[in-house]
Amino acid sequence: MLAKITSGATVGLNATLVDVEVDVAEQGLPSLTIVGLPDKAVEESRERVRSALKNTGADFPTTRITVNLAPADLPKVGPAYDLPIALGILIASGQIRPEVTQSLFFGELSLDGSLRHTNGILPMAYLAREKKFKNVFVPKVNKREASVVPGIKVYPVESLLELIRFFSGTYDIKPAKKISLSTLLKTADAEFDFSEIIGQEQAKRAMEIAVAGNHNIFMQGTPGSGKTMLARAVPGILPTLTPDEALEVTKIYSITGNLAAGQSIVTSRPFRSPHHTTSRIGLIGGGSNPAPGEISLAHRGVLFLDEFPEFPRHVLESLRQPMEDGYA
């Protein structure tokens, strides 16, 4: 029997739909094969899903199981396909028969069947709204992150057993309450404030003027003169993030795993201070599986390059075009 579950993948800063197709053959030697350009984390989901199903009390089919992650030419990265694969096996083996055509599933499984914190939930929630899905099933620990997206129902799932009971009609998972972005942003607070810096009136005045004009700042002085403290106080004099800006920053932090468990959105402007040994890809972003770099993580905030002359020449040269164009 064949089952089809909808999930998603992040490519850079964008999200795209992934169809998780599960076929449980009536005959064949027991095996679980995953195809569709999976990385090591996806391949290892075979053991996580097998253990999660058994520890949940469900039957793991003792025949040949084939899982296809489509489109097949898109690399699949991370453990977020555990939940849709497990659900697909349950449906394909006839253990449950839910209606899942209007739902998107995303989450990493523990061996006991519970759902763990998973990266990239916010882009998935926006993808679901964009593609006209009605429901999104995510780990309970990520519910605040997905609840800021209007127009969809977010179902926080604590375990695979809870989801099985929900689709069997013996348990009710209530949709998460929507969270107001405006309310969250009112609580934003900077780590440092200019009022905490004694003296340095001329330097503070210069930085206020530079920030007001959206200019870059170059600071030179003896060690201990307060350059780093002044730089860390800059986010405190920047305007509060608008809802759109907060969602932009949160999307980046969600994909890279920098959003704390249980956190809804990033409410204060980011401050990034990479070490001078950071590579070009670490600063600009990219790689074989494109990922945001420090420039992207400092989006709408401050990128502080301490010990600037110590950075390798080729890394500094890579900053030329972003600084001239005003965007990376």
Side-chain angles (χ1 to χ4, degrees):
M1 184 176 175
L2 181 66
K4 182 178 177 181
I5 308 296
T6 305
S7 186
T10 55
V11 183
L13 295 178
N14 299 314
T16 184
L17 292 179
V18 171
D19 291 328
V20 180
E21 301 172 334
V22 181
D23 178 61
V24 177
E26 295 181 358
Q27 297 178 343
L29 295 174
S31 65
L32 174 55
T33 305
I34 301 177
V35 297
L37 286 184
D39 74 339
K40 188 65 175 176
V42 180
E43 289 181 351
E44 290 177 348
S45 67
R46 292 177 296 186
E47 305 306 321
R48 290 193 298 272
V49 169
R50 180 183 284 107
S51 297
L53 286 172
K54 290 183 177 179
N55 291 327
T56 297
D59 294 328
F60 188 83
T62 56
T63 58
R64 180 178 179 84
I65 304 172
T66 304
V67 178
N68 178 41
L69 306 177
D73 60 343
L74 178 70
K76 315 304 185 304
V77 181
Y81 303 103
D82 291 0
L83 181 61
I85 290 174
L87 184 60
I89 292 175
L90 290 170
I91 297 174
S93 60
Q95 298 181 58
I96 57 175
R97 299 185 181 277
E99 175 56 46
V100 295
T101 56
Q102 294 297 317
S103 302
L104 187 146
F105 298 84
F106 203 69
E108 176 186 351
L109 285 172
S110 295
L111 297 185
D112 62 356
S114 61
L115 285 168
R116 300 171 58 87
H117 180 271
T118 307
N119 298 336
I121 294 294
L122 183 63
M124 290 302 114
Y126 269 100
L127 176 67
R129 189 184 71 167
E130 178 187 345
K131 299 298 182 181
K132 309 300 182 183
F133 284 88
K134 295 180 180 179
N135 312 309
V136 177
F137 291 81
V138 300
K140 189 174 183 178
V141 68
N142 291 106
K143 70 175 183 179
R144 287 178 56 82
E145 183 180 342
S147 297
V148 300
V149 181
I152 57 172
K153 290 183 179 180
V154 176
Y155 288 89
V157 183
E158 192 167 2
S159 67
L160 183 59
L161 178 60
E162 186 179 87
L163 188 63
I164 294 173
R165 289 177 175 174
F166 173 73
F167 285 131
S168 300
T170 60
Y171 184 81
D172 185 29
I173 301 177
K174 297 186 181 299
K177 293 182 179 179
K178 292 301 176 183
I179 297 176
S180 171
L181 290 178
S182 300
T183 302
L184 290 175
L185 292 174
K186 288 179 181 178
T187 63
D189 189 20
E191 183 181 5
F192 296 96
D193 192 86
F194 265 29
S195 63
E196 299 172 350
I197 302 175
I198 306 302
Q200 299 284 8
E201 299 302 328
Q202 186 175 1
K204 289 193 286 187
R205 176 61 176 165
M207 297 191 77
E208 289 170 355
I209 295 172
V211 169
N214 198 27
H215 301 300
N216 299 313
I217 304 171
F218 182 83
M219 292 185 287
Q220 183 177 5
T222 57
S225 58
K227 302 185 296 298
T228 301
M229 183 65 177
L230 285 166
R232 287 189 173 275
V234 168
I237 62 174
L238 289 170
T240 303
L241 285 169
T242 66
D244 288 340
E245 290 175 342
L247 289 174
E248 289 176 8
V249 176
T250 305
K251 182 179 178 182
I252 298 170
Y253 275 61
S254 176
I255 291 173
T256 56
N258 286 286
L259 200 63
Q263 184 178 2
S264 181
I265 61 168
V266 176
T267 57
S268 57
R269 293 189 179 270
F271 178 88
R272 302 295 297 186
S273 180
H275 195 263
H276 61 262
T277 58
T278 301
S279 65
R280 183 183 62 82
I281 290 178
L283 189 64
I284 302 296
S288 55
N289 293 317
E294 289 292 337
I295 288 181
S296 298
L297 292 171
H299 183 60
R300 302 294 184 182
V302 176
L303 177 64
F304 177 52
L305 301 179
D306 198 9
E307 303 296 342
F308 191 76
E310 300 297 327
F311 281 81
R313 179 184 176 87
H314 69 280
V315 173
L316 297 180
E317 288 293 335
S318 67
L319 288 171
R320 184 190 303 275
Q321 185 173 350
M323 292 183 67
E324 290 179 352
D325 295 341
Y327 62 89

